[in-house]
Structures are given as C-alpha cells and as structure tokens.
C-alpha cells in the first residue's frame, strides 16, 4: 500500500513539473564515471529535450538504503521513468547513440 | 582430530578460522573457513551450494551469534525462505530480529543498456549497507556469476569482482561465494582466480544409478585440511559432512565383557561373552539363524538397559519383530521403552557412503552401546567389494572410537568354509562366528563354531545351534563313529544313552535285590542255628539243674534220715 502511494506521489510530482521526460540519475559521489555521466546527460538533455525534461540526481553514497530498493548494481545508472517503457541505462553515458536510443529519441 | 587442532594455535600467526557450523566441515577444514576471507564453494547444478551457503549463515546466527547477509543473485528472498523452511530455518524471523538480511539482486539484460564506462559501486554500497546495518560477520554471494549474464563488459566485471573480494577482506567478513562448475574449470567465469584462499568443490556423482554427494577441499591457503573426497548428506537437518576415515588406530579398548544373550555361547567365549566395543561377524549360509543371533544380541543389550540400533538391509522392522516373536523374543517392548531402534533400508536406496553417513547420524543421535548391521552382504549390490570393505573399515573405526559394539551378519554363498568372507571383513573383526549347515542322515542341522575371537580363550568345538519356540540354544554335538552327529541322529544317540542308563540302573537294582535275598537266607540260617544252639544249651543246662536238684534233695533226705535216727535213740534211754 505504502509503496503505491509513494508511486502516486512521484507521479504527482512529475505532473507538477509537467515534464514529458522524467529522468533519474544515480551517481556515486564525485567519481570520474559519475562526473562524466552527469556532464553527458546534461548536454544531451539540453540538446534534445530542452524544457521537456525533469532530471533528478541522486548520490547513492548519501542514501545507501535506496541501493537495495532500486536494485542498483552497476553505476552510474540513468532511469527513464517516463515516457514508458521504463528504461535503465548504465555507464557514463558516453555512447550518445545508445543513450538516445535508450531514451527513445532515436530509432 | 579436534584435540590435535586445539594445540595448533601456539604457532605464531596461525590463520584464524570461522566455524561454519556445518556438521563435519569444520573437522576437515581444521576448524572452519578462513576468518575474514572469502571462500569459494563451487559445483554443478543441484549439488547443494546454495544450501551450504545458507546453512553457513543461519548456523552462524544461531550457534555463533554472528549476523549474516545473504545476497541472492538467483532466487528471490521469498523463494529462498520457502526452500530452506523444510530444513527448519526460519529466515523471516531472523530477518525480523535484525540478524539476517536477504537481498535479492535482480539483473535483467533486456532492461539494461550499457552506454559507457561503469563500475559495480551499486553492489558495493548495497552490500556495505546491508553489512553495516546488522553488523554482519558473514556474507554469502549466491551466485555472483549471474552478473556475467546480465552485464556485457567482461573486463569491467572481472576488475570489479577482484575489487569486491578485496573489499570483502577489508571489511573483515567471512564470505562464501558460490559458483557454477564450468567446463574444465572450477567455475564458469574462473572465479577461483580471484578467490584464492579457500576453494571447496561439491560434486554429485551417480554410479550404478546411485547418487552420492561429495565434498572436497581443493585448496585452503595457510591451513592443513583433509584432502579426500568426503561424502555428505542433505537431509531434514541440513548438510552433514563426514570425515569418516580415521587416520590412526588408537581407539580406547575396553576389557569389559558383554553377553551374547545365549549363555551357552558365552560359555564358548571364555564364559563371559564378547568384549565391549569389539566388532563381531556372524557369517553363514542362508537360513542358518544369523538374524536370530543378531536379534538375541540386541535383545540382551536392551535387557541390560543399553541402547541398541538395528540396521536391517533385508527385512522390515515389523517382519523381524514378528519372526523373533516366534522364538519367544519381544523386541517391541524394547522399542516402546526407547532402548531399541530399528532402521530398514534397501541397500540400493543410497550409495554406500550415504548408508555410512546415515548410520553415523543415527549413532550420533541415539548414542547406542551396540549396533547391528544385518546383513552386510547386500551392500555389495551398491558397491564393489573393495568399496564395501573400505566402508566397513571406516564404520568399525568410528564405532570403536565410540566404544560401541558392532555386530555384522554376512551371508556366505557356498557351504564350503572359506577363510575369507565375501566382504573381506573377517580380518577386521574381533570375533567371527560361523553358522553353517551340517547335512547328514537326510536332514540339515545348524552347526556353530568360533572362527576367531581376539584376546580371549574360546572353545574350538563345533556346537549344534538349535532354534526352538523358547529361543536359541547351543547343544554339544556328538562325535560318533560316523563323524559329527546332529539333529535327530544326536537325539537318537541321546535316547540310546538314556536307555542304556535305565537298563544299567535296572540291572544294578536286580543284583541288589539278590544280595538282599541272600542276606535274608543267610540271616535265617544264622537264626535257626542260634536256636539250635540255644536248645542244646538248654538241654545241657537242664541236666545240670536236675543234678543239682537231685543232689540237693539227696542231701536233704540224708539229713532227715540222720535226724530221725538220733531221735529214736534218745527215746529208748528215757524209758
């Protein structure tokens, strides 16, 4: 029950922002991979999704308990929550082709 | 073995070990798994890796108070809980008590897109969080190789795994990592390269349609360990590994004697029976009463209020009890009192090792003073002669160290007395009784003799072994002109002897009578002679008396005459 409410809350949250793309990026502090992933996604979003996205960045080190909840293994991890289907992209997001495919921006 | 190991720590910087809590494993590893280091448990599918891992965690919590983290890459937490609940492990409760964390790692290639460099920090953080949240001392990663099916970049994975194992060491947790056996390698992804401190290989082998689980310690850095393949058993209590090969023959011996249950047999054995803790073999052809002898021994043990386990490989307990009732023995009563346990299993049910393991378990649990295996011959069906012999050696070794008397029965297939039984155990046992058929005069009878009995005076005689409604007994056989007499021939001989005896007694009594009669005649004669003598004496004495009387009377008359004459004279004068 609690979980579904949480989900509902999140949806509300995304609707509040009214953004088409809700992305969540899990990073681990200031590791090179994390920094690269962050720069890469920001560049990508600005280039392709300007104004249409909401990007949440979570430092797993700060919230160790979510690692289990969110089934985190390989990091950095980018989760595309909406539009459906949900997609998980791991790595520093340097393979732009793959990232765009993963985000459904390119076929 | 444990005492020996206790002496070890005086050496400098010996490897510290964590007791696994798995029965027997700590003995062959000399105290457990390397403390604070990862151990690799590998083996093919279905050989018990996950079970061993979960038992390591649960036993750690329950017996050693060490919380544990179980990271499952294969099964979901719920599935795992259900699977091990049959072993009596309540994972849900342990998790609630904060002693256990089960974390299911879900990884699905189809959901993941690799877009560049990454690391497994997520796993590290997850594991680190789980460890720190309950203060875990034990960690299981089951089966971490699943990561390879979920992630493509082998180079990253390998580097990260190496880092993970190093990190686990730094954390100071004792870890078990399970791995599926690969083709020609211990694990599919060569995990043995990374986990190099201790590698345990589990195997599940099927020979002659019989499966045996085996465990071997492939390597154990910095520690002595058993190098053999040890059979292990998975049952309702979990895993038991049995290091059954005793290295030394230094078990204690007892000079206490215990009865065989048959007084006549005890008499043959120097009057007191077997030594306690000895091994006894009863061999013989079919239907010679081996089981009856064994049951008698069991019955006698129970009568002494000593516990006894009877392993039957041919008959069911009910069958044995019914059969023994016919010779006046009530085994049920002993079972009811908890002194006797009977276990029946077809030899083909398990491999030899498994039988041994099962016997071990029963013995350890029930703590009997006597164990009976009836018959060992059937074990041949599940192993070669040398395997059976090896198994029995280990069993005898084990039971002797526990001071338990063991009695085997063995079927010899021919009537010729061989110096060797089929199982080749005759040289191992302390006492060997042979029951055999003696065929003569159109009937078969049972003869028993003692082939050997170490350390005691024993009879060299063949005795006839009779089974009656009242029980078993040994009877002296008759050595006649035709050889050994048994059965009805012996009875005939006995009758003959009785008859002769009666006749002799009769003859003796007749002679006695004659003597008596003669004596009576003699005595009568003596009496008549005596009487004759008396009459003669009478006669003689009569004449004496008469003469005396006459003399007396004559004297008297003379005196009277004299007196009369005197009176006449004086009268004349006066006139």
């Amino acid at each position: 029950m609690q979980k579904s409410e949480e989900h509902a809350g999140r949806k509300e949250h995304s609707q509040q922002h009214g953004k088409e793309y809700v992305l969540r990026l899990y990073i681990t502090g200031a590791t090179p991979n994390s920094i690269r992933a962050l720069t890469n996604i920001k560049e990508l979003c600005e280039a392709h999704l300007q104004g249409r996205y909401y990007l949440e960045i979570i430092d797993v080190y700060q919230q160790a308990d979510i690692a289990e909840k969110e089934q985190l293994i390989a990091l950095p991890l980018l989760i595309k929550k909406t539009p459906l289907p949900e997609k998980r992209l791991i790595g520093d997001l340097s393979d732009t082709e793959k990232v765009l495919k993963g985000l459904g921006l390119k076929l | 073995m444990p005492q020996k190991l206790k002496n070890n720590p005086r050496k400098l910087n010996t490897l510290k070990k964590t007791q696994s809590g798995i029965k027997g494993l700590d003995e062959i590893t000399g105290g457990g798994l390397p403390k604070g280091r990862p151990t690799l448990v590998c083996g093919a599918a279905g050989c018990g890796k996950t079970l061993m891992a979960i038992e390591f965690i649960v036993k750690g919590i329950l017996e050693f108070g060490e919380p544990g983290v179980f990271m499952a890459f294969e099964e979901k937490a719920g599935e795992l809980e259900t699977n091990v609940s049959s072993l009596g492990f309540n994972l849900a409760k342990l998790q609630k008590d904060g002693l256990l964390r089960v974390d299911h790692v879900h990884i699905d290639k189809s959901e993941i897109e690799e877009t560049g460099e990454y690391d497994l920090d997520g796993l590290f953080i997850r594991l680190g969080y789980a460890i720190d949240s309950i203060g875990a001392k034990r960690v299981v990663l089951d089966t971490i190789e699943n990561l390879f099916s979920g992630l493509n970049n082998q180079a990253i994975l390998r580097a990260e795994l190496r880092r993970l194992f190093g990190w686990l060491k730094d954390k100071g947790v004792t870890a078990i990592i399970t791995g599926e056996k690969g083709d020609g390698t211990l694990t599919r992804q060569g995990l043995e390269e990374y986990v190099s401190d201790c590698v345990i290989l589990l195997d599940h082998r099927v020979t002659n349609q019989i499966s045996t689980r085996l465990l071997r310690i492939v390597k154990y850095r910095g520690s002595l360990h058993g190098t053999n393949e040890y059979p292990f058993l998975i049952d309702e209590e979990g895993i038991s590994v049995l290091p059954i090969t005793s290295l030394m023959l230094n078990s204690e011996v007892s000079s206490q004697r215990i009865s065989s249950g048959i007084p006549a047999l005890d008499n043959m054995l120097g009057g007191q029976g077997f030594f306690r803790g000895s091994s006894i073999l009863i061999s013989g052809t079919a239907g010679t009463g081996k089981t009856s002898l064994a049951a008698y021994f069991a019955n006698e043990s129970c009568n002494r209020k000593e516990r006894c386990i009877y392993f039957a490989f041919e008959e069911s307990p009910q069958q044995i009890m019914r059969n023994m009732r016919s010779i006046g023995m009530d085994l049920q009563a002993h079972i009811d009192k908890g002194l006797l346990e009977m276990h029946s299993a077809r030899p083909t049910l398990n491999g030899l090792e498994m039988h041994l393991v099962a016997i071990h378990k029963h013995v350890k649990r029930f703590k009997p003073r006597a164990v009976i295996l009836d018959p060992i011959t059937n074990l041949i069906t599940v192993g070669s002669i040398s395997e059976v012999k090896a198994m029995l050696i280990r069993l005898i070794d084990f039971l002797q160290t526990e001071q338990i008397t063991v009695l085997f029965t063995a079927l010899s297939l021919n009537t010729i007395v061989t110096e060797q039984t089929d199982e080749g155990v005759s040289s191992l046992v302390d006492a060997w009784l042979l029951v055999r058929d003696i065929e003569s005069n159109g009937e078969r009878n049972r003869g028993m003799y003692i082939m050997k009995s170490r350390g005691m005076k024993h009879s060299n005689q063949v005795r006839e072994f009779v089974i009656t409604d009242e029980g078993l007994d040994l009877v002296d056989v008759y050595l006649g002109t035709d050889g050994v007499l048994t059965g009805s021939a012996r009875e005939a001989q006995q009758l003959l002897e009785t008859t002769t005896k009666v006749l002799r007694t009769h003859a003796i009594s007749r002679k006695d009578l004659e003597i008596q009669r003669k004596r009576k005649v003699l005595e009568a004669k003596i009496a008549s002679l005596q009487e004759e003598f008396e009459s003669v004496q009478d006669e003689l004495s009569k004449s004496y008396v008469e003469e005396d009387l006459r003399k007396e009377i004559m004297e008297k008359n003379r005196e009277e005459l004299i007196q009369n004459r005197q009176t006449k004279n004086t009268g004349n004068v006066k006139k």
Side-chain angles (χ1 to χ4, degrees):
Chain A
M1 271 316 275
Q2 217 177 346
K3 227 178 190 176
S4 65
E5 272 171 27
E6 213 176 280
H7 270 288
R10 267 184 202 153
K11 252 176 207 165
E12 237 172 71
H13 192 65
S14 64
Q15 272 156 13
Q16 262 180 5
H17 289 275
K19 307 292 185 196
E20 191 184 340
Y21 281 87
V22 175
L23 306 174
R24 199 174 288 164
L25 180 67
Y26 293 97
I27 54 162
T28 46
T31 57
N33 280 344
S34 301
I35 292 163
R36 266 203 303 278
L38 196 55
T39 351
N40 284 336
I41 191 67
K42 275 188 172 161
E43 271 174 23
L44 258 165
C45 287
E46 284 306 311
H48 299 271
L49 298 167
Q50 206 172 26
R52 292 197 284 151
Y53 75 96
Y54 171 71
L55 177 66
E56 191 181 354
I57 295 154
I58 297 154
D59 183 359
V60 188
Y61 277 142
Q62 306 299 319
Q63 305 177 51
D65 56 319
I66 62 162
E68 188 183 339
K69 249 183 270 163
E70 294 294 328
Q71 282 292 347
L72 303 184
I73 301 152
L75 291 174
L77 169 72
L78 178 74
I79 301 180
K80 181 193 71 166
K81 287 280 179 190
T82 60
L84 292 171
E86 190 176 297
K87 195 80 192 171
R88 292 173 156 241
L89 307 175
I90 57 169
D92 59 11
L93 308 171
S94 53
D95 191 337
T96 319
E97 288 288 300
K98 272 193 176 171
V99 179
L100 290 177
K101 249 188 218 170
L103 293 177
L105 294 172
K106 204 173 180 182
L107 288 173
Chain B
M1 208 151 153
Q3 289 108 333
K4 216 186 123 194
L5 291 161
K6 269 178 200 157
N7 296 336
N8 264 351
R10 73 179 114 94
K11 283 183 206 158
L12 290 170
N13 282 332
T14 16
L15 185 70
K16 286 203 179 68
K17 293 182 183 181
T18 295
Q19 277 180 278
S20 65
I22 295 166
K23 268 177 247 159
L25 183 62
D26 296 339
E27 282 172 54
I28 48 178
T29 52
L33 304 178
K35 194 184 184 77
R37 297 186 185 187
T39 295
L40 178 66
V41 175
C42 50
C47 65
K49 300 184 295 290
T50 303
L51 191 70
M52 176 168 272
I54 193 81
E55 193 169 339
F56 168 72
I57 293 284
V58 173
K59 290 279 163 77
I61 295 169
L62 298 178
E63 289 175 20
F64 306 105
E66 296 186 352
V69 171
F70 193 94
M71 202 164 228
F73 292 81
E74 277 179 340
E75 292 166 293
K76 287 198 172 135
E79 285 169 352
L80 194 71
E81 253 169 54
T82 320
N83 294 351
V84 299
S85 64
S86 60
L87 299 170
F89 297 159
N90 189 348
L91 298 190
K93 189 181 173 293
L94 295 176
Q95 278 175 285
K96 220 166 71 188
D97 295 347
L99 296 166
L100 171 72
R101 273 193 90 114
V102 178
D103 184 1
H104 169 62
V105 176
H106 170 80
I107 187 155
D108 189 350
K109 203 169 187 170
S110 63
E111 291 176 2
I112 293 169
E113 197 76 53
E114 293 180 28
T115 63
E117 289 279 311
Y118 57 88
D119 52 41
L120 296 182
D121 268 343
L123 189 68
F124 282 73
I125 292 167
R126 232 164 129 166
L127 197 52
Y129 178 70
I131 292 170
D132 296 339
S133 64
I134 56 168
K137 297 268 185 296
R138 296 174 182 219
V139 169
V140 166
L141 303 174
D142 176 55
T143 302
I144 200 156
E145 285 183 320
N146 277 16
L147 286 178
F148 285 88
S149 64
L151 301 170
N152 281 331
N153 198 329
Q154 297 250 341
I156 291 182
L157 274 179
R158 289 185 183 280
E160 287 295 285
L161 284 184
R162 196 182 286 277
R163 187 162 72 97
L164 177 67
F165 298 139
W167 177 80
L168 283 171
K169 274 192 194 179
D170 292 343
K171 273 262 170 200
V173 289
T174 308
I176 283 188
I177 290 116
T178 66
E180 195 89 0
K181 194 172 161 33
D183 198 16
T185 52
L186 288 175
T187 56
R188 260 181 219 159
Q189 305 298 339
L191 286 182
E192 60 271 24
E193 281 177 46
Y194 312 122
V195 190
S196 44
D197 291 299
C198 180
V199 178
I200 297 172
L201 178 67
L202 304 181
D203 198 2
H204 198 192
R205 214 171 294 156
V206 179
T207 24
N208 294 333
Q209 295 147 15
I210 286 149
S211 81
T212 313
R213 290 174 193 277
L214 295 161
L215 175 148
R216 184 163 69 92
I217 295 169
V218 180
K219 91 186 213 188
Y220 196 148
R221 236 178 227 174
S223 168
L224 287 173
H225 59 88
T227 49
N228 296 346
E229 283 195 312
Y230 299 97
F232 71 97
L233 180 73
I234 297 177
D235 63 6
E236 60 279 357
E237 292 158 34
I239 290 179
S240 343
V241 188
L242 291 146
I244 349 197
T245 314
S246 157
L247 300 170
M248 282 157 286
L249 283 170
N250 56 0
S251 48
E252 298 253 321
V253 289
S254 166
S255 49
Q256 198 193 339
R257 302 284 278 268
I258 50 171
S259 168
S260 63
I262 305 164
L265 179 58
D266 293 344
N267 277 336
M268 286 176 84
L269 294 160
Q272 289 164 290
F274 305 109
F275 281 119
R276 182 180 292 290
S278 66
S279 46
I280 304 146
L281 172 70
I282 299 175
S283 70
T285 45
T288 42
K290 299 181 295 293
T291 301
S292 303
L293 274 169
Y296 243 74
F297 182 68
N299 187 46
E300 184 63 22
S301 294
C302 296
N303 284 343
R304 282 193 305 265
K305 305 265 176 273
E306 291 174 8
R307 281 195 289 272
C308 175
I309 302 190
Y310 195 115
F311 295 98
F313 295 120
E314 254 173 3
E315 296 168 281
S316 71
Q318 288 77 14
Q319 203 178 349
I320 293 173
M321 279 188 275
R322 180 201 64 195
N323 296 349
M324 291 308 123
R325 221 169 282 135
S326 74
I327 57 167
M329 199 190 315
D330 187 11
L331 296 177
Q332 184 65 50
H334 296 311
I335 292 181
D336 294 343
K337 274 188 229 149
L339 287 168
L340 180 66
E341 263 192 16
M342 289 183 119
H343 298 280
S344 279
R346 283 273 169 215
T348 44
L349 178 73
N350 294 318
L352 274 181
E353 300 297 344
M354 215 43 90
H355 278 294
L356 190 52
V357 169
I359 291 170
H360 262 255
K361 281 183 69 99
H362 283 306
V363 168
K364 287 275 185 196
R365 174 184 51 79
F366 193 61
K367 301 201 185 338
R369 301 300 300 270
V371 168
I372 291 162
L373 266 75
D374 175 38
I376 51 171
T377 321
N378 272 15
L379 295 173
I380 282 287
T381 51
V382 283
S384 69
I385 290 173
S386 65
E387 281 169 351
V388 173
K389 184 170 178 176
M391 172 214 169
L392 292 172
I393 290 175
R394 297 196 318 214
L395 181 63
I396 291 172
D397 279 351
F398 163 65
L399 293 174
Q400 271 180 349
T401 42
E402 302 275 317
Q403 284 285 296
I404 296 167
T405 318
V406 59
L407 188 146
F408 305 109
T409 69
L411 177 72
S412 22
L413 299 169
N414 47 10
T415 44
I416 309 155
V417 183
T418 47
E419 293 305 313
Q420 197 79 14
T421 57
D422 300 315
E423 296 74 33
V425 288
S426 50
S427 63
L428 300 171
V429 295
D430 296 320
W432 181 13
L433 308 183
L434 198 89
V435 199
R436 63 180 279 225
D437 281 328
I438 300 170
E439 197 176 320
S440 62
N441 305 332
E443 58 177 35
R444 285 170 57 197
N445 293 295
R446 301 175 180 95
M448 182 204 265
Y449 45 96
I450 298 171
M451 296 284 280
K452 74 170 190 186
S453 185
R454 284 180 185 150
M456 63 174 82
K457 211 155 66 177
H458 57 272
S459 166
N460 62 350
Q461 307 272 298
V462 180
R463 297 288 155 92
E464 190 184 347
F465 173 51
V466 285
I467 302 178
T468 64
D469 291 346
E470 283 78 44
L472 308 180
D473 202 4
L474 298 178
V475 187
D476 284 336
V477 290
Y478 277 72
L479 289 167
T481 42
D482 301 331
V484 176
L485 294 184
T486 54
S488 46
R490 170 180 49 81
E491 269 166 33
Q493 182 70 30
Q494 273 176 323
L495 268 180
L496 198 68
E497 287 219 343
T498 326
T499 320
T500 329
K501 206 168 161 188
V502 170
L503 283 176
R504 239 182 73 211
T505 334
H506 187 61
I508 287 169
S509 55
R510 255 181 49 190
K511 273 193 183 133
D512 277 352
L513 269 180
E514 210 165 296
I515 290 169
Q516 245 171 347
R517 225 173 287 133
K518 277 238 168 91
R519 183 184 287 134
K520 270 187 188 159
V521 170
L522 198 69
E523 276 170 359
K525 268 189 184 162
I526 291 169
S528 74
L529 277 175
Q530 188 116 27
E531 251 152 59
E532 207 175 317
F533 168 74
E534 266 170 21
S535 67
V536 172
Q537 204 182 22
D538 246 18
E539 203 70 27
L540 283 173
S541 55
K542 199 171 116 193
S543 56
Y544 275 129
V545 172
E546 265 177 18
E547 212 156 302
D548 280 351
L549 273 173
R550 198 180 289 139
K551 220 171 142 184
E552 207 175 314
I553 291 165
M554 273 170 63
E555 194 90 4
K556 226 177 180 174
N557 287 350
R558 203 166 44 98
E559 274 178 23
E560 264 175 40
L561 269 176
I562 291 170
Q563 241 172 350
N564 282 345
R565 212 177 315 147
Q566 277 175 347
T567 334
K568 267 174 196 175
N569 283 347
T570 50
N572 283 341
V573 170
K574 268 177 192 176
K575 261 170 203 187

